[in-house]
Amino acid sequence: MVELAAPHTWPAAIFPVFVACALAVANGGYKGTGSVNGLMVLVLLAICILLQSAVNTINDYFDFVKGTDSVDNQPDPTDAVLVYHHVNPKSVRTYFISLIAVAFALGVYVIARTGWVPLVIALVGVVVIFLYSGGKTPISYLPLGEAVSGFVMGGLIPLACYQALTGSFSWMVLLWSVPLILGIALIMLTNNGCDIDKDALAHRKTLPVLLGHDRTRTLYHAIIYLWIGAICLLVLVFFFDGWIALPFMLLAAHPFGRKLLANPLTPQSRAGAFALCATMNITLGAFYGAAIIASIVPTVFVI
């Protein structure tokens, strides 16, 4: 069951909470107190990891039920757990329903503390979770998967977390979350880019299937550069005093980014691409959050 939860994708759940926490602190904390509730942060983190695990499990479940995954077309056992480990589909269904139920149980605490706004955003997210892999025409079968997953996880999660941590709602969070949206979209583009041939045979019209191998890699490279550029621009415009983190970010991300740019996005290079993409999400997310927090720390240079 751990493989179904796919812990290697958890950075996509962890860093939206981390950045939301940094934004909350930088903007005065809970109702201007200058701090945030530590328990609330942990509860939000648990909810997001549970929902991310549910997304991964549901995706594997429907790919198995619909016959999209098989030993012949999916060489990576970690991306076709039901195929390789012969897990009972009924148990898998119970598992992902339980993950969502526990997430909502924890959500009661959030709702009791902060009101209905996070609940509405969470309900939108859960609907998207099921529409992404379920139904007659799942979102994952359309050229919308990258945009939808990026917006929901990279945009809506920080939006809900920021409201829960500050007690106030701000659409600016969506702008500040653009790097997260791009990073999570890149995770999905990694998955779909490596699965072009398999998805084409399964009649899935994902964005990479429509673009083809060469244009998918061109888009992939463009998103990497936009991702890094967006962090630099947002920090310099909105969190200028945190600029000191940017050179260190670029130095830390360079070796991973270079390897990611060189990855051919094939089934055989899938595991390496995912590892590099996860590392980039961790590196850029950590430095972006650090830059936001550093922007509120006065720094004195003595020459």
Side-chain angles (χ1 to χ4, degrees), residues 63-77:
D63 280 349
F64 176 80
V65 169
K66 294 178 180 180
T68 303
D69 283 343
S70 69
V71 175
D72 294 332
N73 65 20
Q74 184 51 271
D76 185 359

Side-chain angles (χ1 to χ4, degrees), residues 178-179 182 219-233:
V178 166
L182 291 171
L219 176 62
Y220 198 77
H221 295 171
I223 290 176
I224 293 172
Y225 288 119
L226 283 172
W227 185 12
I228 296 171
I231 292 175
C232 294
L233 181 62

Side-chain angles (χ1 to χ4, degrees), residues 7-303:
H8 63 279
T9 67
W10 288 358
I14 294 170
F15 281 96
V17 178
F18 173 67
V19 171
C21 185
L23 289 169
V25 172
N27 286 285
Y30 186 72
K31 295 186 177 180
T33 61
S35 63
V36 296
N37 185 307
L39 179 59
M40 177 67 75
V41 173
L42 293 176
V43 170
L44 291 170
L45 188 59
I47 290 171
C48 292
I49 290 174
L50 286 166
L51 291 178
Q52 174 67 40
S53 299
V55 170
N56 296 331
T57 304
I58 291 169
N59 194 43
D60 272 6
Y61 172 80
F62 280 109
D63 280 349
F64 176 80
V65 169
K66 294 178 180 180
T68 303
D69 283 343
S70 69
V71 175
D72 294 332
N73 65 20
Q74 184 51 271
D76 185 359
T78 63
D79 201 50
V81 177
L82 279 80
V83 172
Y84 282 91
H85 297 286
H86 308 291
V87 183
N88 188 327
K90 289 184 179 178
S91 299
V92 174
R93 188 167 60 242
T94 301
Y95 178 56
F96 71 68
I97 290 173
S98 299
L99 290 171
I100 293 173
V102 174
F104 266 88
L106 291 173
V108 171
Y109 169 77
V110 179
I111 296 164
R113 286 293 303 268
T114 62
W116 57 270
V117 174
L119 173 63
V120 172
I121 297 174
L123 289 174
V124 171
V126 169
V127 170
V128 172
I129 286 174
F130 281 102
L131 292 179
Y132 188 83
S133 299
K136 284 188 175 182
T137 309
I139 293 172
S140 62
Y141 278 57
L142 302 172
L144 301 172
E146 290 80 7
V148 170
S149 60
F151 179 74
V152 170
M153 299 187 65
L156 293 187
I157 287 178
L159 189 65
C161 291
Y162 182 87
Q163 198 277 337
L165 292 170
T166 65
S168 61
F169 183 84
S170 173
W171 289 111
M172 283 296 295
V173 176
L174 290 179
L175 175 61
W176 294 329
S177 297
V178 166
L180 298 169
I181 294 170
L182 291 171
I184 292 169
L186 196 74
I187 293 175
M188 298 311 303
L189 191 59
T190 301
N191 180 68
N192 291 336
C194 291
D195 285 348
I196 289 177
D197 296 329
K198 183 190 81 170
D199 288 344
L201 289 173
H203 305 292
R204 295 176 74 164
K205 299 186 185 301
T206 64
L207 183 60
V209 168
L210 296 180
L211 293 177
H213 291 279
D214 292 340
R215 283 186 290 182
T216 294
R217 282 192 291 270
T218 299
L219 176 62
Y220 198 77
H221 295 171
I223 290 176
I224 293 172
Y225 288 119
L226 283 172
W227 185 12
I228 296 171
I231 292 175
C232 294
L233 181 62
L234 289 169
V235 169
L236 293 175
V237 172
F238 295 101
F239 311 102
F240 183 77
D241 287 339
W243 68 268
I244 190 64
L246 297 181
F248 296 100
M249 179 190 76
L250 295 174
L251 287 171
H254 178 260
F256 308 114
R258 185 178 60 185
K259 291 178 181 177
L260 199 57
L261 289 167
N263 193 285
L265 297 181
T266 62
Q268 293 73 27
S269 68
R270 176 195 196 88
F274 264 119
L276 289 167
C277 196
T279 303
M280 282 289 285
N281 269 275
I282 292 168
T283 303
L284 297 182
F287 275 102
Y288 184 39
I292 293 170
I293 293 173
S295 70
I296 63 170
V297 178
T299 304
V300 178
F301 292 96
V302 179
I303 300 178

